Amino acid sequence: MIVILKHGTKEDKKEQLISWLKSQGVDIHISVGSYQTVLGLVGDTSQVDKDLVASLDIVDSVKTVSDPFKCCNRKFHPDDTIVTVGDVKVGGGNFCMIAGPCSVENEEQIVGIAKAVKASGANMLRGGAFKPRTSPYDFQGLKATGIELLKIARQETGLPIVTEVMGVNDLPLFEDVDVIQIGARNMQNFDLLREVGKLRKPILLKRGLASTIKELLMSAEYIMAGGNEQIILCERGIRTFDDYTRNTLDLAVVPLLHELSHLPVIVDPSHATGVARLVRPMALAGVAAGCDGLIIEVHNDPMHALCDGAQSLRPEEYDSLCRAVNGIREVVTK
Amino acid sequence: MIVILKHGTKEDKKEQLISWLKSQGVDIHISVGSYQTVLGLVGDTSQVDKDLVASLDIVDSVKTVSDPFKCCNRKFHPDDTIVTVGDVKVGGGNFCMIAGPCSVENEEQIVGIAKAVKASGANMLRGGAFKPRTSPYDFQGLKATGIELLKIARQETGLPIVTEVMGVNDLPLFEDVDVIQIGARNMQNFDLLREVGKLRKPILLKRGLASTIKELLMSAEYIMAGGNEQIILCERGIRTFDDYTRNTLDLAVVPLLHELSHLPVIVDPSHATGVARLVRPMALAGVAAGCDGLIIEVHNDPMHALCDGAQSLRPEEYDSLCRAVNGIREVVTK
Amino acid sequence: MIVILKHGTKEDKKEQLISWLKSQGVDIHISVGSYQTVLGLVGDTSQVDKDLVASLDIVDSVKTVSDPFKCCNRKFHPDDTIVTVGDVKVGGGNFCMIAGPCSVENEEQIVGIAKAVKASGANMLRGGAFKPRTSPYDFQGLKATGIELLKIARQETGLPIVTEVMGVNDLPLFEDVDVIQIGARNMQNFDLLREVGKLRKPILLKRGLASTIKELLMSAEYIMAGGNEQIILCERGIRTFDDYTRNTLDLAVVPLLHELSHLPVIVDPSHATGVARLVRPMALAGVAAGCDGLIIEVHNDPMHALCDGAQSLRPEEYDSLCRAVNGIREVVTK
Amino acid sequence: MIVILKHGTKEDKKEQLISWLKSQGVDIHISVGSYQTVLGLVGDTSQVDKDLVASLDIVDSVKTVSDPFKCCNRKFHPDDTIVTVGDVKVGGGNFCMIAGPCSVENEEQIVGIAKAVKASGANMLRGGAFKPRTSPYDFQGLKATGIELLKIARQETGLPIVTEVMGVNDLPLFEDVDVIQIGARNMQNFDLLREVGKLRKPILLKRGLASTIKELLMSAEYIMAGGNEQIILCERGIRTFDDYTRNTLDLAVVPLLHELSHLPVIVDPSHATGVARLVRPMALAGVAAGCDGLIIEVHNDPMHALCDGAQSLRPEEYDSLCRAVNGIREVVTK
């Protein structure tokens, strides 16, 4: 941590600050410039309250030098993490194609869609059983029944299943789920993060609508601090002033997260745009940006979907997309 | 709901859409303009998926006419809700002054601060027992012990206590808390909202960092749909591109929420700015904008606070602020 | 335009509004619903002040039906506009590769870079002569001399030249420039837009940092209303809360602009990210999203560039990028 | 400037960087930590390209220590600047009340409104002659005629006049205007800033919709670098995800700008909210936050205003507001 003192700071005030900082267990390197004095804090600065120091009268600004995330930091773990879900691998050059309906509606629907997306090349099945909805009056998902239907679809197709958990008390129902999704609105539900950190099961962690990259990594850190190292990060759009799409897909985070962390990063173009006809170009853009997989909503009958029909691809559209994804992958990984 | 068709839509496609819409149980008023055709949907449109209709090839755009929030809507409940906390009333002309430390640290600290803020005019005591922290390595609060210490401070001063809950499983510990706070990061933790909706205890609901006013009201609606009508809304800053303060305090929501809803609205200038010397001007601005109360962090020794010391006022600063607040209140309510 | 009246609006107030609206020269279709009354305004509504109507006591909300942009609207001009710059075509399936240094520095530099990027496949040369800089103390460009050096580079390579104009009084210097760029900060410099609308020369119009798609199209409309129809739109990143990159590249606007308008759309990954190592993934993502060209900063010696060295590719990096771009183009246009 | 090297940087690479930095004319203080090496750059670092250094492979991050703005910096000019407009003073404890219509429409209108607002306590008259409009098809102002009408209103009332300039070529028309306004969209029209920097006349500089505080101050710096030190800064709302008001009024910048700069700061609640009934609470909030003045739109007949009628107060509303402003001022300045 580096503390820059204001011009004209009196000697006694400076000494006072230095001795207080030392009392927090850090060493201080003092560097007196022509205009400003800079204090370099060496040692374990994790106990020094950066905001508090920055708020002092004599302090101009404070800069932190080291990242607060450790477990998910590429600096300490240079090799890519490969998350393994049954036979499917994600990360380290392995690409995953997760597809399925927003909500599980009934056996015929989920099994039918699972077979269709598998035929196109999907290697995991998604489907919402517990649905986070802005309104308490909207359809909230089939819950336990939905999970049972996903298992049937898995049995029929062999596809591992991915589904979202909304609260700690529902976790027992997810024991036989292959990948547990933490939704964007729960990215900083720290209770839930801590609980899934105790599991030894892959977690799909979606970035919150207004979360920075650092916050996303700190949430991954909550899970990893509990010992669960199987995490897939997911960019799904952020909230900006832009009002033509539901959210703004922030693809630069794909290469950035790969620099900062060893965890795999996938892209969700369906939720980011909220519009089916934008899913294809944004999915391809995500692949071109170097992501490790895509999670895409597919529905056999979007007009009658109980949820988010507007952003679902039809199976034939998904099939065409998969072929284009392979083409882009070939160019990018060459 | 109003559906505007694209110019040049073919008759048969239009008929198909109309018959599909009617099959969802709504009546259609057709209005053919010189350039565009507009369909007015009458009846219960809550089952019609707006996004799906908007995504159809022949549809230019869709507009919704009625608000999705009912219980907290001033249209259906014109009088101000007055939330009652012991002897303290909030809303309907009643102003609350909630103050206290970010975190409860020990008995001496919390009792001392409680006495000080009461002497200045505070009528409720805040203090964090469960702390949502971005990093798993930061101090997470005294938890159950913190709540016990708050009760002691209440006994010593008579001030009702306000503290944040982070998960449904901790709720039993809050049975004897006067006001339960739902933090900004949990504003869309729907499981938690549903659970506190079952209580009959005042809830302080903070706006999420990237939540619209409508989303805030829908979260209040989750609580009210469960039968709990004692809700205090709280503006605490939103996330914008602006990087000089922690968040951007969005004070226009105070009069706007008063128009849209009958619930009381308070302001938290401490978390919004993150900087103690901005708390006073922003607190006064909130009062001038017409809020029903303030929640402010006060610490007797900000330099040694375990959390958020940078944004805490000292008791003497709080005392001076209280006098100015009264002055502004007199002007505004005249 | 559609005006939704508040529930319980009195008959006389409604009649008053209707007669005032009629006095503005529009016809009114009244549709009385069970809960709300909706007025449909038919005819030329361009003179009706939407915001004013929305602010009336008895009005719940106002919705506009038709787009305010005409000349650049695909509805009225279904075929792609192809902008022609010498032998180079942009749009309608024609892809442009614009490359060159942020600033023109000297003859050797600009000619050298021009030759290098041409060899890699670039078909236009960019280079800043007038530089918009946040600080008055930063290098402001070589101005007229810079333009002369660009012309020399054009002579040496045959590449058309693209350079930014900052004010109307400099326009005479741009007479022999092939494409005039309007920078992001000037996107709503309406005086300048009007002036370049009088020219018959291609304009590269960059989206402002906080401009909506509609505002971008309205700025194109300013130029087209003057009779200049040769416009290339450019996405270069928007300002969001995200702080790891300079701006957030908003690639969904590429397909969206193609839907709304017939004008070609290119992408600038250099300014969007501000970081050379993110230029390649974001450039490829733009191509995968369907853009009609790329504008990229290339410098032979980024360490000694006078401006924006951090975001410049080296010629060999640009060469490698061009090959990948071609690969992606093949997949996308198949 | 402080350069933090990546962990594990090789000695020779470090030496190379240091010698290159020294070649830019700065001294280097090296501080080797247990984990990272930090280089402190001492001397004139204005020629060192921060972004370029940050982009180097071996560099973890770069921090700047000193502010890039000089003339408007309070560090170098501790006393408040007082801008003098005829008999009116702004800043240093002097409060200005600027009021008038969005657009000047005719003599009767502007003189009538001028008299009304003067009677209520306004001490300057605003009125748009040149109007920046998003659409080329909207009313663009009376231009030169508008300025003549403002002068008549000044003659009738004695109020100094404030009006916006849109381009450098119109400046001769503003010779007899008392305060020249630079609008939000032109905040980074550097050509225009440089030109008004040559004048010796007060400039009202509005913050851009997506401008940081630093960028606002750098734009003031452009004007001051030309020798014009009479600048009034104006906060008028920023663009955020929030969609209930036109913009989000960012009042924390009032105390922040007062800390960073000696220039006076006023608030424009009319453009920030775009809704007349929010002008009063936001105006009072601005005063409570400590601003040096208000600029407010007043129209005698908002229903027939040619522009922005929705956000205009009626004269009687302005009168009532002025009394409340005085009340708040008394509390704040006590």
Side-chain angles (χ1 to χ4, degrees):
Chain A
M1 196 183 290
I2 289 159
V3 178
I4 297 139
L5 300 186
K6 284 194 180 146
H7 181 59
T9 293
K10 299 228 175 83
E11 225 21 53
D12 58 332
K13 287 244 173 183
K14 189 174 87 180
E15 287 311 320
Q16 227 176 321
L17 174 60
I18 288 169
S19 85
W20 176 73
L21 286 169
K22 283 184 175 167
S23 77
Q24 319 259 319
V26 294
D27 276 343
I28 314 286
H29 286 182
I30 304 170
S31 149
V32 179
S34 57
Y35 185 69
Q36 274 166 314
T37 296
V38 175
L39 309 180
L41 278 61
V42 181
D44 175 13
T45 59
S46 65
Q47 298 313 308
V48 181
D49 181 338
K50 184 193 162 192
D51 290 337
L52 175 59
V53 176
S55 75
L56 299 174
D57 273 357
I58 62 168
V59 172
D60 187 273
S61 59
V62 177
K63 322 282 183 181
T64 45
V65 170
S66 55
D67 298 325
F69 42 94
K70 312 286 174 201
C71 303
C72 61
N73 198 326
R74 194 178 278 277
K75 281 180 193 162
F76 309 117
H77 184 312
D79 294 332
D80 287 348
T81 282
I82 297 175
V83 173
T84 305
V85 188
D87 296 341
V88 181
K89 290 181 190 312
V90 189
N94 303 285
F95 199 80
C96 71
M97 288 291 282
I98 309 174
C102 180
S103 293
V104 180
E105 297 171 20
N106 57 57
E107 183 176 332
E108 193 193 335
Q109 175 239 22
I110 190 68
V111 173
I113 295 175
K115 286 180 176 171
V117 299
K118 187 184 180 184
S120 298
N123 52 13
M124 283 195 245
L125 175 68
R126 63 147 290 150
F130 290 83
K131 302 296 309 170
R133 304 300 299 267
T134 305
S135 166
Y137 310 122
D138 288 342
F139 173 61
Q140 311 274 323
L142 294 183
K143 302 181 179 172
T145 310
I147 293 181
E148 290 313 308
L149 295 176
L150 280 168
K151 290 184 198 168
I152 293 173
R154 175 174 59 189
Q155 206 169 357
E156 296 278 322
T157 59
L159 294 177
I161 55 178
V162 183
T163 195
E164 178 169 354
V165 70
M166 282 178 61
V168 292
N169 292 336
D170 298 326
L171 274 174
L173 294 169
F174 287 70
E175 210 163 294
D176 197 22
V177 161
D178 300 293
V179 179
I180 298 180
Q181 178 179 314
I182 304 288
R185 292 182 186 79
N186 273 327
M187 194 202 85
Q188 292 194 318
N189 181 338
F190 300 120
D191 258 33
L192 185 55
L193 296 177
R194 253 187 295 259
E195 284 306 310
V196 301
K198 294 177 191 162
L199 305 179
R200 293 297 172 267
K201 190 189 272 299
I203 304 299
L204 173 54
L205 178 64
K206 290 197 156 188
R207 180 184 182 190
L209 270 79
S211 301
T212 62
I213 294 182
K214 191 187 123 184
E215 287 169 343
L216 171 59
L217 290 174
M218 291 311 295
S219 287
E221 194 77 13
Y222 260 92
I223 300 172
M224 294 186 86
N228 186 354
E229 305 193 334
Q230 298 280 297
I231 300 172
I232 302 169
L233 303 172
C234 180
E235 160 65 24
R236 46 78 73 220
I238 58 172
R239 189 158 268 181
T240 69
F241 68 86
D242 207 345
D243 52 0
Y244 261 80
T245 49
R246 188 189 291 168
N247 295 119
T248 299
L249 190 62
D250 182 13
L251 287 177
V253 304
V254 173
L256 277 168
L257 284 170
H258 279 154
E259 277 183 32
L260 294 167
S261 175
H262 49 85
L263 296 173
V265 183
I266 69 170
V267 168
D268 176 350
S270 306
H271 285 87
T273 62
V275 183
R277 62 185 193 278
L278 297 175
V279 169
R280 183 191 172 99
M282 289 303 98
L284 298 182
V287 178
C291 71
D292 299 298
L294 293 169
I295 178 165
I296 289 179
E297 291 197 359
V298 178
H299 199 282
N300 51 342
D301 184 8
M303 289 287 285
H304 291 95
L306 291 179
C307 165
D308 275 347
Q311 71 196 36
S312 293
L313 297 189
R314 286 193 199 80
E316 59 273 23
E317 293 167 326
Y318 183 68
D319 190 61
S320 159
L321 172 60
C322 285
R323 282 194 298 270
V325 165
N326 290 338
I328 305 269
R329 285 272 299 154
E330 263 177 52
V331 177
V332 174
T333 59
K334 203 155 48 187
Chain B
M1 196 183 288
I2 287 159
V3 178
I4 297 140
L5 301 185
K6 283 193 181 147
H7 181 59
T9 292
K10 298 229 174 86
E11 231 11 62
D12 58 332
K13 288 243 174 181
K14 189 174 87 182
E15 286 311 319
Q16 230 176 318
L17 173 61
I18 289 170
S19 85
W20 176 73
L21 287 169
K22 283 184 175 168
S23 77
Q24 320 258 318
V26 295
D27 276 340
I28 314 287
H29 285 181
I30 305 168
S31 147
V32 180
S34 57
Y35 185 69
Q36 274 168 313
T37 297
V38 175
L39 309 181
L41 278 59
V42 181
D44 175 12
T45 59
S46 65
Q47 297 313 307
V48 181
D49 181 338
K50 186 194 160 191
D51 290 337
L52 175 59
V53 176
S55 75
L56 297 175
D57 274 358
I58 61 169
V59 171
D60 188 275
S61 59
V62 176
K63 322 284 184 180
T64 45
V65 170
S66 54
D67 297 327
F69 43 91
K70 312 287 173 199
C71 302
C72 61
N73 198 325
R74 193 178 279 279
K75 281 181 193 163
F76 308 117
H77 184 311
D79 293 333
D80 286 348
T81 282
I82 298 173
V83 174
T84 306
V85 188
D87 294 341
V88 181
K89 290 182 191 312
V90 189
N94 302 286
F95 198 82
C96 71
M97 287 292 281
I98 309 173
C102 180
S103 293
V104 180
E105 296 170 21
N106 56 58
E107 183 174 331
E108 193 193 336
Q109 172 237 27
I110 190 68
V111 172
I113 295 174
K115 285 180 176 168
V117 298
K118 187 184 181 183
S120 298
N123 52 14
M124 284 196 245
L125 174 67
R126 62 147 290 148
F130 290 83
K131 302 295 309 169
R133 304 300 299 267
T134 305
S135 166
Y137 310 121
D138 288 344
F139 173 60
Q140 311 274 325
L142 294 183
K143 300 180 182 174
T145 310
I147 293 181
E148 289 313 307
L149 296 175
L150 281 168
K151 290 184 198 167
I152 293 173
R154 176 175 60 190
Q155 206 168 359
E156 297 279 323
T157 59
L159 293 178
I161 54 178
V162 183
T163 195
E164 178 170 353
V165 70
M166 281 179 62
V168 291
N169 292 337
D170 298 326
L171 274 174
L173 294 169
F174 288 70
E175 211 163 295
D176 198 22
V177 161
D178 300 293
V179 178
I180 298 180
Q181 178 179 315
I182 304 287
R185 291 181 186 81
N186 273 327
M187 194 201 85
Q188 292 195 317
N189 181 338
F190 300 120
D191 258 33
L192 185 56
L193 297 177
R194 253 188 296 260
E195 285 306 312
V196 299
K198 294 178 190 160
L199 306 178
R200 293 297 170 270
K201 188 187 273 298
I203 305 299
L204 173 54
L205 178 64
K206 290 198 157 187
R207 181 185 182 190
L209 270 79
S211 300
T212 62
I213 295 183
K214 192 189 122 182
E215 287 169 343
L216 172 59
L217 289 174
M218 290 312 295
S219 287
E221 193 78 13
Y222 260 92
I223 301 172
M224 294 185 86
N228 187 354
E229 305 193 334
Q230 298 280 297
I231 301 171
I232 302 168
L233 303 172
C234 180
E235 161 64 24
R236 45 79 73 220
I238 57 173
R239 188 159 268 181
T240 70
F241 68 87
D242 208 344
D243 51 0
Y244 262 81
T245 48
R246 187 190 292 169
N247 295 117
T248 300
L249 191 62
D250 182 13
L251 287 177
V253 304
V254 173
L256 276 169
L257 284 171
H258 280 154
E259 277 182 33
L260 294 168
S261 175
H262 47 86
L263 297 172
V265 183
I266 70 171
V267 169
D268 176 349
S270 306
H271 285 88
T273 62
V275 184
R277 64 186 191 277
L278 297 175
V279 169
R280 183 191 173 99
M282 290 302 100
L284 298 182
V287 178
C291 71
D292 300 297
L294 292 168
I295 177 163
I296 288 178
E297 290 197 359
V298 178
H299 199 284
N300 51 343
D301 185 6
M303 288 288 284
H304 291 94
L306 292 179
C307 165
D308 276 348
Q311 70 195 35
S312 293
L313 297 188
R314 285 193 199 79
E316 58 273 24
E317 293 167 325
Y318 184 68
D319 191 60
S320 160
L321 172 61
C322 286
R323 283 195 297 271
V325 166
N326 290 337
I328 305 270
R329 284 272 300 155
E330 262 177 54
V331 177
V332 174
T333 59
K334 200 154 53 187
Chain C
M1 198 182 287
I2 289 160
V3 178
I4 297 141
L5 301 185
K6 283 194 181 147
H7 182 58
T9 293
K10 298 232 175 83
E11 225 22 54
D12 59 331
K13 288 244 173 179
K14 188 174 86 180
E15 286 310 319
Q16 230 176 317
L17 173 60
I18 289 170
S19 84
W20 177 73
L21 286 170
K22 283 186 175 164
S23 77
Q24 320 258 319
V26 294
D27 277 342
I28 314 286
H29 285 182
I30 305 168
S31 146
V32 181
S34 56
Y35 185 69
Q36 273 167 315
T37 296
V38 175
L39 309 180
L41 278 61
V42 181
D44 176 14
T45 58
S46 65
Q47 298 312 308
V48 181
D49 181 337
K50 186 194 159 190
D51 291 337
L52 175 59
V53 176
S55 74
L56 298 175
D57 274 357
I58 61 169
V59 172
D60 187 276
S61 60
V62 177
K63 321 283 183 181
T64 45
V65 171
S66 53
D67 297 326
F69 44 90
K70 312 286 175 200
C71 303
C72 61
N73 198 325
R74 194 179 277 279
K75 280 181 194 164
F76 308 118
H77 184 312
D79 294 333
D80 287 348
T81 282
I82 297 175
V83 174
T84 306
V85 188
D87 296 340
V88 180
K89 290 181 191 313
V90 189
N94 303 286
F95 198 82
C96 71
M97 288 290 283
I98 309 173
C102 181
S103 293
V104 180
E105 295 172 21
N106 56 56
E107 183 175 331
E108 192 193 337
Q109 174 238 24
I110 190 68
V111 172
I113 296 175
K115 286 180 177 171
V117 298
K118 187 183 181 186
S120 299
N123 52 13
M124 284 196 244
L125 175 68
R126 63 147 291 148
F130 290 84
K131 301 298 309 170
R133 303 301 299 267
T134 304
S135 165
Y137 310 123
D138 288 342
F139 173 60
Q140 311 273 325
L142 294 183
K143 300 182 181 172
T145 310
I147 293 181
E148 290 313 308
L149 295 176
L150 281 168
K151 290 184 199 167
I152 293 173
R154 175 174 60 188
Q155 207 168 358
E156 297 278 323
T157 59
L159 293 178
I161 54 179
V162 184
T163 193
E164 178 170 353
V165 69
M166 281 179 62
V168 292
N169 293 336
D170 298 327
L171 274 174
L173 294 170
F174 288 70
E175 211 163 293
D176 198 22
V177 162
D178 300 293
V179 179
I180 299 180
Q181 178 179 314
I182 305 288
R185 290 181 187 81
N186 273 327
M187 194 201 84
Q188 292 195 317
N189 181 338
F190 300 120
D191 259 33
L192 186 55
L193 297 178
R194 254 188 295 260
E195 284 307 311
V196 300
K198 294 177 190 161
L199 306 177
R200 293 298 171 269
K201 190 188 273 299
I203 305 300
L204 174 53
L205 178 64
K206 290 197 157 188
R207 182 185 182 189
L209 271 78
S211 300
T212 62
I213 294 184
K214 192 188 121 181
E215 288 169 344
L216 171 59
L217 290 174
M218 290 312 295
S219 288
E221 194 76 15
Y222 260 93
I223 300 171
M224 294 186 86
N228 187 354
E229 304 193 335
Q230 299 280 296
I231 301 171
I232 302 168
L233 304 172
C234 181
E235 161 64 24
R236 46 79 73 223
I238 57 172
R239 188 157 269 180
T240 70
F241 68 86
D242 208 344
D243 52 1
Y244 261 80
T245 48
R246 187 190 292 170
N247 296 119
T248 300
L249 190 63
D250 182 14
L251 287 177
V253 305
V254 173
L256 276 169
L257 284 171
H258 279 154
E259 276 183 33
L260 294 168
S261 174
H262 48 86
L263 297 172
V265 183
I266 70 171
V267 168
D268 177 349
S270 305
H271 285 88
T273 62
V275 183
R277 63 185 192 278
L278 296 176
V279 169
R280 182 190 173 99
M282 290 302 99
L284 298 183
V287 178
C291 71
D292 300 298
L294 292 169
I295 178 164
I296 287 178
E297 291 197 359
V298 177
H299 199 284
N300 52 341
D301 184 7
M303 288 288 285
H304 292 95
L306 292 178
C307 164
D308 276 348
Q311 70 197 33
S312 294
L313 297 189
R314 286 192 199 81
E316 59 273 22
E317 292 167 326
Y318 183 67
D319 190 62
S320 160
L321 172 60
C322 285
R323 283 195 297 271
V325 166
N326 290 337
I328 305 270
R329 285 273 300 156
E330 262 176 54
V331 177
V332 174
T333 59
K334 202 153 51 185
Chain D
M1 196 182 291
I2 288 159
V3 178
I4 297 139
L5 301 185
K6 283 193 181 146
H7 181 58
T9 293
K10 300 229 174 84
E11 238 358 73
D12 59 332
K13 288 243 173 182
K14 190 174 85 181
E15 287 311 320
Q16 228 176 318
L17 174 62
I18 289 169
S19 85
W20 176 73
L21 287 169
K22 283 185 175 165
S23 77
Q24 319 259 318
V26 294
D27 276 342
I28 314 286
H29 285 181
I30 303 168
S31 148
V32 180
S34 57
Y35 184 69
Q36 275 167 312
T37 297
V38 176
L39 310 179
L41 278 60
V42 181
D44 175 13
T45 59
S46 66
Q47 298 312 309
V48 181
D49 181 338
K50 185 194 161 194
D51 291 336
L52 175 59
V53 176
S55 75
L56 299 175
D57 273 357
I58 61 169
V59 171
D60 187 274
S61 59
V62 176
K63 322 282 182 181
T64 45
V65 170
S66 55
D67 297 326
F69 43 92
K70 313 285 174 201
C71 304
C72 61
N73 198 326
R74 194 178 278 278
K75 281 182 193 163
F76 308 116
H77 185 311
D79 293 333
D80 287 347
T81 282
I82 297 175
V83 174
T84 306
V85 189
D87 296 341
V88 181
K89 290 181 191 312
V90 189
N94 304 285
F95 198 82
C96 72
M97 287 291 282
I98 309 174
C102 180
S103 294
V104 180
E105 295 171 21
N106 55 57
E107 182 175 333
E108 194 193 337
Q109 175 238 24
I110 189 68
V111 173
I113 295 175
K115 287 181 176 169
V117 298
K118 187 183 182 186
S120 298
N123 53 13
M124 283 196 244
L125 175 67
R126 61 147 291 149
F130 291 83
K131 302 296 308 170
R133 303 300 299 266
T134 305
S135 166
Y137 310 121
D138 287 344
F139 174 60
Q140 311 275 325
L142 293 183
K143 302 179 178 174
T145 310
I147 293 180
E148 290 313 308
L149 295 176
L150 281 168
K151 291 184 197 165
I152 294 173
R154 175 175 61 191
Q155 206 168 359
E156 297 279 323
T157 59
L159 293 178
I161 54 180
V162 183
T163 194
E164 178 170 354
V165 70
M166 281 179 62
V168 290
N169 292 336
D170 298 326
L171 275 173
L173 294 169
F174 287 70
E175 212 163 291
D176 198 22
V177 162
D178 301 292
V179 179
I180 298 180
Q181 177 179 316
I182 304 286
R185 291 180 187 82
N186 274 327
M187 193 202 86
Q188 292 194 318
N189 181 338
F190 301 119
D191 258 33
L192 186 55
L193 297 176
R194 255 187 295 259
E195 284 307 311
V196 302
K198 296 176 189 161
L199 306 178
R200 293 297 172 269
K201 189 188 273 298
I203 305 298
L204 174 54
L205 178 64
K206 289 197 157 188
R207 180 185 183 191
L209 270 79
S211 301
T212 61
I213 294 183
K214 191 188 123 183
E215 287 169 343
L216 172 60
L217 290 174
M218 290 312 295
S219 287
E221 194 78 13
Y222 260 93
I223 300 171
M224 295 185 85
N228 186 354
E229 305 193 334
Q230 298 280 296
I231 300 172
I232 302 168
L233 303 172
C234 180
E235 160 64 23
R236 45 79 73 220
I238 57 172
R239 189 158 268 181
T240 69
F241 69 86
D242 208 344
D243 53 0
Y244 262 80
T245 48
R246 187 190 291 170
N247 295 120
T248 300
L249 191 63
D250 182 14
L251 287 176
V253 305
V254 173
L256 277 169
L257 284 170
H258 280 153
E259 277 183 33
L260 294 168
S261 175
H262 48 85
L263 296 173
V265 183
I266 70 170
V267 169
D268 176 349
S270 305
H271 285 87
T273 62
V275 183
R277 64 185 192 278
L278 297 175
V279 168
R280 182 191 174 100
M282 289 303 97
L284 299 182
V287 178
C291 70
D292 300 298
L294 292 169
I295 178 164
I296 288 179
E297 291 197 359
V298 177
H299 199 284
N300 52 342
D301 184 7
M303 288 287 285
H304 291 95
L306 292 179
C307 166
D308 275 348
Q311 70 196 34
S312 293
L313 295 189
R314 286 193 198 79
E316 59 274 22
E317 293 167 326
Y318 183 68
D319 191 62
S320 159
L321 172 61
C322 285
R323 283 195 297 271
V325 166
N326 291 337
I328 305 271
R329 285 272 299 156
E330 263 176 53
V331 177
V332 175
T333 59
K334 202 154 49 187

